[in-house]
Amino acid sequence: MLSDAERAEIEEELSHYPDNQAGSVEALKVVQRHRGWVSDESLKSVAALLGMTSAELDSVATFYNLIFRKPVGRHVIFLCDSISCWVCGCDAMRNSLQNRLGISMGQTTLDGRFTLLPIVCLGACDRAPTMMVNDDLHEDLTAEKINRVLEQYP
Amino acid sequence: MDRPLTRNIKPKAEPLWLVEYEKVGGYESVRKALQTMTPQEVQKLVTESTLRGRGGAGFPTGKKWSFVPMGPDAPRPKYLVVNADEMEPGTFKDRLLLEGDPHQMIESMIVSAYAIQADVGYIFLRMEYGVAAARLRKAIKEARAKGYLGRHLLGSDFSFEIYLHTSAGRYICGEETALLNALEGKRAIPRAKPPFPQVVGLWGKPTIVQNVETLCNVPHIITHGAEWYRRLSRGKDGGTKIYGVSGNVKRPGSWELPMGTSIREILEGHAGGMRDGFAFRGLLPGGASTAMLVEEHLDLPMDFESIPQAGSRMGTGTMIVLDDQTCPVGFAQNLEHFFAQESCGWCTPCWEGLSWTERILQSLEDGQGRMDEIDVLTMHTKLLAPGRTFCALAPGAMDPLQSLLKYCRADFERHIHEKRCPWRDGRNGADGARTWPVSSSMIVPTR
């Protein structure tokens, strides 16, 4: 079941389009903002609201790398692995993060604090290497800076 | 005014909000267009300005608009869509415009929509650009409150509304027709062309899809004229261009410069040349999908006419530099990993060919490559050439690969002869794998 707040936010998004299906990505993101990820049950509720079948909506949801159909940690780290960041040493940043968190790319820490994922070019290539934590961009990364940044996300 | 697009942008500062934006001449082009010009006159002016698309393809903007059905019998509603899905690796110019001057984006949309008589505008923004999203929302709200959006703008017959659509990843969404499917809430797979979106686009209605930087030129053309605009440039195509440089240079960054500024001036003058201890080997002139250029090409002007003479494209105009401390095979592997991951999976040459290409490059990097695999790579550059795949993603992936095979062939062969990557014990550490095993959509359960 969607909450009243979720329903209201989704309906606001739907008002931007002549067709409900067009609101599907924004609707899934509303649920994800509230719950951290999109469960099968949430997906069903959103599909019903939009007048789509669950299979149709899931085919859209699973197309996108930023719609989470599995649970993630409280904070999601997105480390850029595209060309400019790679040239500027993102492999070393990946090693740093993996060692510090004790997990590999794609995994979540046992305490549920962080999920570590790769992401494509973040459009801040002049400040490579870069990563996002949740919605925040962090640039000019070094191993030391990563340690400081992670402290900001309890 | 020699840098119209970025004149209001100050690093790390809040953008100009409506009152200040109007004080420096903001929304003047809307008044001028709606009160003194017909839509056809705006189109004609943009055509005369020689503005060409800044998203990578360089299509003449006025010509694109001319395909939109006009007049009372034209299908309605018509749409204007801003492609703000900047995701071409190495490209960081639209972020600057969106975050730095959101009202310029809104003004650009209004006058451009007037020219094609669009009823509704969508900004298709990538999810990661959260700062831009917040600033655009505020700018749209301010513009609406002031009467620049809504019914009968400035008392004219023209009505226009703008909505922000934030996406959820995937490079293919930046492809014009995949973007339309994404906006309709379908899987973002490209559509067959023709029909072209200008005639049959969003929900089957006439639609113009235009890059952020392209549109941001339009208000200045309307305010100052085509002749002024052409004179900003040093070459045949008018205006300025936001150029950028990333990689191991002294001052990576972006600069709005006259169209046709030479690569050398951008690379050595503005970016300060290579960092100490790094030597130049080549550069991709306009993002990950453009063919590499080398030393002999550095005096070419960065414009749509000159770069193709060297077998590449200006693309987005943001250069990625390859240095001597970075393995060219690893460089190619990283690029092809990106394209293979971001293939939408619709047409077989693309998903199958790019995955194969990526695997071969990985085996070369791991010291397990064979000489005949270089021929397989070369074969792919032909099998995935323009016209052999459904959209431009795979041909774009092959451009850097064929150029790396051409200019760095000895390095590919050295990996095979020495059965190892000669760079691996160097700066990047001896840790092995250069690619990351999972894509972003593959979250694995907690251990």
Side-chain angles (χ1 to χ4, degrees):
Chain A
M1 281 295 285
L2 299 173
S3 70
D4 291 345
E6 286 169 318
R7 191 172 287 270
E9 285 173 41
I10 291 172
E11 274 163 6
E12 163 64 25
E13 292 294 341
L14 295 185
S15 72
H16 301 169
Y17 309 97
D19 178 274
N20 275 357
Q21 182 172 352
S24 55
V25 171
E26 298 276 21
L28 291 164
K29 282 163 58 179
V30 166
V31 170
Q32 188 164 293
R33 269 199 300 278
H34 284 267
R35 302 172 188 228
W37 66 295
V38 181
S39 66
D40 288 350
E41 195 201 341
S42 308
L43 186 101
K44 250 182 226 165
S45 306
V46 174
L49 184 65
L50 301 182
M52 296 168 73
T53 66
S54 298
E56 272 179 317
L57 185 60
D58 206 14
S59 79
V60 175
T62 53
F63 189 87
Y64 293 99
N65 55 308
L66 295 174
I67 303 289
F68 303 138
R69 290 284 283 116
K70 292 175 189 165
V72 291
R74 283 199 300 288
H75 307 290
V76 181
I77 301 169
F78 302 98
L79 181 62
C80 174
D81 68 353
S82 290
I83 192 69
S84 303
C85 282
W86 181 79
V87 167
C88 294
C90 69
D91 281 349
M93 299 305 111
R94 176 203 56 191
N95 292 343
S96 237
L97 279 163
Q98 291 187 153
N99 291 339
R100 151 104 199 208
L101 299 171
I103 53 174
S104 304
M105 298 302 288
Q107 293 184 326
T108 301
T109 54
L110 281 172
D111 60 3
R113 184 173 163 200
F114 289 112
T115 295
L116 179 58
L117 293 172
I119 199 158
V120 302
C121 185
L122 289 171
C125 318
D126 52 341
R127 309 289 301 274
T130 62
M131 68 176 182
M132 279 177 73
V133 183
N134 304 332
D135 299 329
D136 313 323
L137 179 67
H138 299 282
E139 305 168 309
D140 295 322
L141 295 181
T142 59
E144 297 71 42
K145 182 165 180 184
I146 284 177
N147 283 337
R148 284 201 306 278
V149 165
L150 294 188
E151 293 305 320
Q152 300 166 24
Y153 300 91
Chain B
M1 186 172 62
D2 54 1
R3 41 179 207 99
L5 302 181
T6 55
R7 69 198 170 118
N8 295 331
I9 300 178
K10 294 186 183 66
K12 301 280 167 204
E14 275 280 301
L16 297 186
W17 296 112
L18 188 63
V19 175
E20 298 94 28
Y21 184 73
E22 285 182 311
K23 270 187 205 151
V24 296
Y27 290 100
E28 245 172 51
S29 73
V30 175
R31 281 201 180 74
K32 184 172 175 186
L34 266 60
Q35 291 168 350
T36 71
M37 298 170 79
T38 64
Q40 287 74 11
E41 282 168 343
V42 177
Q43 285 198 23
K44 186 162 173 277
L45 194 61
V46 169
T47 302
E48 287 168 358
S49 77
T50 66
L51 172 63
R52 291 175 66 167
R54 309 297 202 233
F59 195 82
T61 305
K63 191 172 177 192
K64 193 179 206 177
W65 292 3
S66 73
F67 299 130
V68 176
M70 298 293 284
D73 298 332
R76 284 287 171 85
K78 294 193 259 184
Y79 295 101
L80 174 72
V81 178
V82 181
N83 187 344
D85 202 47
E86 182 169 70
M87 224 180 287
E88 174 78 19
T91 302
F92 50 103
K93 63 185 186 66
D94 295 339
R95 181 199 275 271
L96 175 78
L97 293 169
L98 296 164
E99 289 182 357
D101 204 359
H103 270 293
Q104 175 172 256
M105 184 78 257
I106 306 306
E107 178 176 0
S108 306
M109 289 180 72
I110 298 168
V111 284
S112 304
Y114 177 71
I116 57 163
Q117 292 289 289
D119 304 276
V120 179
Y122 288 104
I123 303 172
F124 190 97
L125 181 70
R126 67 180 295 195
M127 183 173 168
E128 296 90 331
Y129 284 9
V131 173
R135 291 179 179 176
L136 287 166
R137 277 198 194 96
K138 181 169 173 179
I140 291 169
K141 206 170 158 191
E142 284 190 328
R144 194 176 287 140
K146 191 71 195 281
Y148 290 127
L149 292 172
R151 306 281 301 157
H152 302 294
L153 303 193
L154 308 175
S156 73
D157 290 341
F158 179 62
S159 300
F160 184 60
E161 193 50 80
I162 294 178
Y163 301 108
L164 177 68
H165 175 96
T166 63
S167 187
R170 291 294 171 220
Y171 173 69
I172 193 64
C173 293
E175 199 276 343
E176 183 177 48
T177 58
L179 186 151
L180 296 178
N181 276 340
L183 203 42
E184 289 184 12
K186 298 170 181 157
R187 286 173 73 87
I189 288 159
R191 297 177 179 177
K193 291 189 275 194
F196 290 91
Q198 294 93 316
V199 184
V200 181
L202 201 53
W203 292 292
K205 304 293 186 187
T207 304
I208 287 287
V209 182
Q210 207 96 60
N211 166 260
V212 169
E213 185 187 354
T214 313
L215 280 182
C216 287
N217 283 282
V218 177
H220 306 291
I221 294 168
I222 290 170
T223 306
H224 304 288
E227 170 66 23
W228 166 85
Y229 185 78
R230 286 197 304 270
R231 258 190 275 154
L232 290 173
S233 160
R234 294 188 194 163
K236 194 162 155 260
D237 303 310
T240 59
K241 176 77 191 78
I242 300 180
Y243 296 112
V245 181
S246 65
N248 286 308
V249 294
K250 285 204 179 81
R251 292 188 300 273
S254 58
W255 309 272
E256 183 182 4
L257 300 170
M259 177 68 86
T261 302
S262 78
I263 298 175
R264 191 181 298 283
E265 192 176 332
I266 299 164
L267 180 66
E268 295 175 1
H270 295 278
M274 300 305 292
R275 273 173 59 193
D276 295 336
F278 293 85
F280 175 83
R281 286 208 65 186
L283 57 79
L284 310 183
S289 60
T290 55
M292 189 167 83
L293 301 178
V294 293
E295 184 77 36
E296 66 186 270
H297 303 125
L298 291 188
D299 291 310
L300 282 176
M302 272 287 276
D303 61 34
F304 297 109
E305 304 289 327
S306 310
I307 301 300
Q309 291 168 16
S312 187
R313 294 183 299 118
M314 184 170 77
T316 60
T318 42
M319 311 170 187
I320 305 154
V321 176
L322 173 66
D323 60 75
D324 66 335
Q325 307 292 305
T326 300
C327 171
V329 177
F331 191 84
Q333 206 284 335
N334 178 280
L335 293 168
E336 299 313 320
H337 168 67
F338 168 83
F339 288 110
Q341 173 183 291
E342 297 302 316
S343 169
C344 79
W346 178 248
C347 74
T348 307
C350 181
W351 67 259
E352 175 68 11
L354 292 177
S355 314
W356 193 1
T357 304
E358 185 197 352
R359 280 202 304 277
I360 291 175
L361 289 164
Q362 185 63 59
S363 78
L364 287 171
E365 264 296 89
D366 293 341
Q368 294 158 3
R370 301 186 314 263
M371 283 306 279
D372 61 346
E373 285 178 320
I374 294 187
D375 300 331
V376 177
L377 291 177
T378 306
M379 176 187 80
H380 274 89
T381 64
K382 300 190 169 76
L383 285 177
L384 303 184
R388 292 178 176 264
T389 57
F390 200 71
C391 81
L393 186 141
M398 290 301 104
D399 274 351
L401 180 63
Q402 58 84 6
S403 62
L404 282 154
L405 285 167
K406 177 175 167 189
Y407 294 118
C408 305
R409 186 165 178 113
D411 298 302
F412 282 77
E413 293 177 354
R414 208 175 143 201
H415 279 70
I416 296 164
H417 293 139
E418 296 184 17
K419 297 192 188 319
R420 67 182 188 109
C421 169
W423 278 266
R424 233 188 236 181
D425 300 328
R427 182 171 57 89
N428 280 305
D431 67 304
R434 305 298 295 262
T435 37
W436 302 351
V438 293
S439 82
S440 334
S441 55
M442 292 166 63
I443 300 160
V444 296
T446 307
R447 290 186 302 169

